[in-house]
């Protein structure tokens, strides 16, 4: 079985820390990273691990990765990072790691892609337009409508919009885009998760799902028509449901996923119930991609206090999903 490939994200953050911690626990994966940077971080953290340089076209099988060993496709960094201090000069390196890891997936050399957190601001400070991992990877894969979904053992939450200013959300939502998103979500719940007939709950955008148009008309004019189309196609889709009740236990009985209209409508609920146990998944790609549910945590870099739980879950989820 092909192992997942991992990109370490922002080198001044905790990405290298949690990658080394996961590898030290015997979890098989291949890292795309600078060897010297990883070696220095392992010394700082006191992690005893063998870093084995490999060629990107000769990735090992999972069974060939021994405990306490981390195969690394070497990619040179511009400047060795100072702990907790991002450097815009390293932004091209961060993106090169992602680009090459995606290429490994396209060539069938990798079982899945897993990503540690990047810092969007520092990449943009380098003069590179970057709105997020999900959008960047989707462009590399030639996918026009990726869908971000986070999940843990209790709940799956997909997002209609991702990294947008709140004032831009209503203008971004229309019937056509919601239809595309619901088709991707329903299709990947079947294909990637083996759910035969997924049941999806759709949140309204406005308080009380618009209160019959008195608190906004998006729920009537965009969200409801998209749901009606999906129901006509035979999909089990319900809504729009007021977001303040969509996540109550009674509502969630029998639901396989909830589609929230914007980032902070659905994710606070999910993370409150399982921060550090949640996995970020990009749906609609030609390969499996998972990620952590947290950021770069610059204050923890090199401290040994960074919790690798979310990354470990992301690696395990990628391994489970890859055969599908």
């Amino acid at each position: 079985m092909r192992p997942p490939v991992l990109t370490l994200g922002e080198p001044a953050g905790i990405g290298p820390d949690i990658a080394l911690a996961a590898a030290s626990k015997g979890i098989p994966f291949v890292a795309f990273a600078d060897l010297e940077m990883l070696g220095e971080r392992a010394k700082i953290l006191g992690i005893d691990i063998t870093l084995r340089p490999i060629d990107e076209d000769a990735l090992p099988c999972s069974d060939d990765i021994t405990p306490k060993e981390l195969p690394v496709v070497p990619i040179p960094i511009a400047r060795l990072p100072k702990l907790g201090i991002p450097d815009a000069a390293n932004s091209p390196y961060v993106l090169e790691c992602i680009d090459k890891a995606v290429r490994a997936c396209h060539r069938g050399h990798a079982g899945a892609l897993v990503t540690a957190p990047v810092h969007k601001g520092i990449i943009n400070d380098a003069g590179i337009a970057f709105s997020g991992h999900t959008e960047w990877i989707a462009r590399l894969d030639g996918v026009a409508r990726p869908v971000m979904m986070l999940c843990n053992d209790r709940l799956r939450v997909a997002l209609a919009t991702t990294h947008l200013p709140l004032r831009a959300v209503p203008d971004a939502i229309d019937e056509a885009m919601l239809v595309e998103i619901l088709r991707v979500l329903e299709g990947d719940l079947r294909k990637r998760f083996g759910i035969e007939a997924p049941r999806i709950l759709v949140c309204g955008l406005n308080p009380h799902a618009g209160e019959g148009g008195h608190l906004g008309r998006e729920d009537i004019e965009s969200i409801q028509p998209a749901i009606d189309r999906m129901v006509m196609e035979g999909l089990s889709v319900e809504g729009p449901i007021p977001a303040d009740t969509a996540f109550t236990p009674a509502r969630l009985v029998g639901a396989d996923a909830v589609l929230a209209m914007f980032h902070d409508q659905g994710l606070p609920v999910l993370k409150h119930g399982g921060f550090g146990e949640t996995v970020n998944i990009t749906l609609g790609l030609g390969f499996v991609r998972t990620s952590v549910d947290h950021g770069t945590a610059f204050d923890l870099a090199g401290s040994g206090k960074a919790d690798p739980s979310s990354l470990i879950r992301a690696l395990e989820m990628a391994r489970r999903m890859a055969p599908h």
Side-chain angles (χ1 to χ4, degrees):
M1 180 178 178
R2 291 290 182 184
V5 291
L6 174 69
T7 57
L8 276 56
E10 169 54 52
I14 63 169
D17 303 40
I18 58 178
L20 289 163
S24 72
K25 294 179 184 295
I27 297 171
F29 63 90
V30 174
F32 281 59
D34 182 89
L35 270 171
E36 185 180 359
M37 181 272 294
L38 260 183
E40 283 200 359
R41 192 68 61 92
K43 287 180 183 177
I44 291 169
L45 295 169
I47 293 176
D48 181 19
I49 194 163
T50 300
L51 303 176
R52 174 161 63 100
I54 59 171
D55 187 88
E56 66 177 292
D57 291 323
L59 271 58
C61 293
S62 294
D63 292 343
D64 295 330
I65 301 174
T66 61
K68 302 290 185 179
E69 174 191 65
L70 177 55
V72 181
V73 174
I75 300 175
I77 198 168
R79 286 197 285 252
L80 289 174
K82 296 179 180 178
L83 294 175
I85 303 174
D87 185 344
N90 287 331
S91 294
Y93 155 80
V94 170
L95 297 178
E96 183 182 1
C97 291
I98 299 170
D99 293 354
K100 288 189 173 181
V102 169
R103 186 166 67 192
C105 292
H106 284 160
R107 292 177 174 176
H109 297 162
L113 171 64
V114 182
T115 59
V118 296
H119 190 277
K120 291 187 283 292
I122 201 68
I123 295 175
N124 282 279
D125 287 347
I128 303 167
F130 183 85
S131 59
H133 252 135
T134 299
E135 296 83 1
W136 187 269
I137 293 168
R139 181 186 61 80
L140 294 174
D141 199 41
V143 172
R145 186 70 70 187
V147 177
M148 180 188 291
M149 184 177 79
L150 279 82
C151 69
N152 54 34
D153 292 339
R154 296 170 292 281
L155 185 62
R156 299 183 187 94
V157 177
L159 303 177
T161 62
T162 52
H163 303 115
L164 288 180
L166 192 55
R167 68 172 63 247
V169 169
D171 290 340
I173 293 172
D174 60 40
E175 179 185 348
M177 67 91 78
L178 289 174
V179 165
E180 289 182 39
I181 288 168
L182 285 165
R183 284 176 177 156
V184 170
L185 175 56
E186 202 267 352
D188 270 24
L189 288 172
R190 288 176 183 269
K191 181 170 70 172
R192 303 290 190 194
F193 291 86
I195 300 171
E196 200 169 307
R199 179 170 169 252
I200 300 168
L201 307 183
V202 180
C203 290
L205 173 66
N206 297 295
H208 302 176
E211 194 77 72
H214 295 288
L215 296 177
R217 298 197 56 82
E218 292 87 358
D219 302 272
I220 294 172
E221 295 175 357
S222 298
I223 301 174
Q224 188 66 63
I227 293 170
D228 291 343
R229 280 184 63 182
M230 294 296 92
V231 171
M232 288 179 65
E233 291 182 12
L235 277 64
S236 180
V237 180
E238 300 174 25
I241 301 168
D244 62 349
T245 59
F247 297 97
T248 58
R251 271 288 194 190
L252 291 173
V253 171
D256 296 298
V258 178
L259 177 63
M261 289 299 108
F262 55 94
H263 189 281
D264 286 7
Q265 184 184 59
L267 298 195
V269 179
L270 187 79
K271 293 185 179 184
H272 172 72
F275 190 67
E277 302 173 1
T278 300
V279 177
N280 183 347
I281 303 169
T282 304
L283 306 179
L285 299 175
F287 54 88
V288 170
R289 181 258 172 158
T290 67
S291 188
V292 296
D293 69 346
H294 57 74
T296 51
F298 290 122
D299 57 322
L300 296 179
S303 69
K305 297 178 180 178
D307 186 354
S309 298
S310 184
L311 178 62
I312 290 170
R313 284 180 175 262
L315 287 162
E316 291 172 344
M317 178 72 76
R319 284 170 58 83
R320 288 200 304 270
M321 292 174 65
H324 297 287

